[in-house]
């Protein structure tokens, strides 16, 4: 199992940051390779809701394990490239929100993939995606 934690400040209130984070139809704006989300079984604020994230022809089934709006969102995800658990917390932080994301992956291929995605801040890396998310949330919070 591999474990990766990263965090960033977003100059927007937790409620807005959480709402954007859980807007499944917008995930492809910051998560590299996402081409869509389908088969959403229920509301995104309900434990047990499942959905499928598409990365081109590859699919990752995802299940919501914990949700406490606007503070915490935890999922289990899985594809042959990357599977495990992701959690995000949203805490008030000065003029905005501290977003902390944790990934715990399962299996050798997932450990190798997550190691690659955890290095650097290039687009498609865990850090790059989190920073891109922050820029989108800040832009929308200020209306620019």
């Amino acid at each position: 199992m591999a474990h990766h934690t990263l965090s960033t400040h977003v100059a927007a209130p937790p409620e807005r940051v959480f709402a954007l984070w859980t807007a499944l139809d917008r995930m492809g704006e910051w998560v590299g390779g996402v081409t869509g989300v389908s088969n959403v079984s229920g509301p995104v604020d309900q434990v047990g809701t499942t959905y499928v994230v598409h990365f081109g022809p590859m699919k990752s089934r995802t299940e919501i394990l914990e949700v406490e709006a606007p503070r915490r969102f935890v999922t289990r995800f899985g594809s042959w490239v990357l599977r495990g658990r992701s959690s995000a917390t949203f805490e008030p932080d000065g003029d905005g929100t501290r977003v902390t994301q944790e990934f715990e992956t399962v299996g050798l291929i997932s450990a190798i993939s997550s190691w690659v995605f955890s290095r650097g801040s290039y687009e498609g890396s865990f850090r790059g995606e989190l920073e891109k998310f922050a820029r989108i949330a800040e832009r929308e919070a200020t209306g620019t």
Side-chain angles (χ1 to χ4, degrees):
M1 180 184 299
H3 186 184
H4 306 282
T5 302
L6 52 149
S7 159
T8 194
H9 175 83
V10 180
E15 295 78 15
R16 291 195 70 163
V17 175
F18 183 87
L20 179 60
W21 190 271
T22 58
L24 300 180
D25 59 324
R26 297 193 58 196
M27 186 185 306
E29 294 177 35
W30 61 86
V31 179
V34 170
T35 55
V37 176
S38 67
N39 301 334
V40 181
S41 71
V44 74
D45 63 351
Q46 184 175 344
V47 170
T49 292
T50 60
Y51 52 93
V52 177
V53 180
H54 298 264
F55 296 86
M58 190 174 60
K59 299 175 184 178
S60 178
R61 184 179 183 281
T62 304
E63 178 183 4
I64 298 172
L65 301 177
E66 296 177 42
V67 60
E68 180 189 338
R71 302 195 36 85
R72 187 163 167 80
F73 191 73
V74 181
T75 62
R76 177 178 30 243
F77 58 90
S79 73
W80 68 272
V81 173
L82 194 61
R83 63 187 167 99
R85 178 182 160 114
S86 172
S87 67
T89 57
F90 310 88
E91 298 176 324
D93 182 35
D95 67 343
T97 304
R98 171 68 44 192
V99 178
T100 302
Q101 188 174 23
E102 293 185 56
F103 291 96
E104 296 174 0
T105 61
V106 178
L108 179 61
I109 293 174
S110 290
I112 293 167
S113 297
S114 69
W115 182 86
V116 171
F117 295 141
S118 72
R119 300 295 180 249
S121 60
Y122 58 90
E123 191 164 325
S125 70
F126 294 152
R127 167 73 48 206
E129 290 174 353
L130 186 59
E131 294 300 332
K132 188 171 185 180
F133 171 83
R135 289 191 305 273
I136 293 168
E138 289 172 349
R139 182 181 68 232
E140 292 183 6
T142 61
T144 59

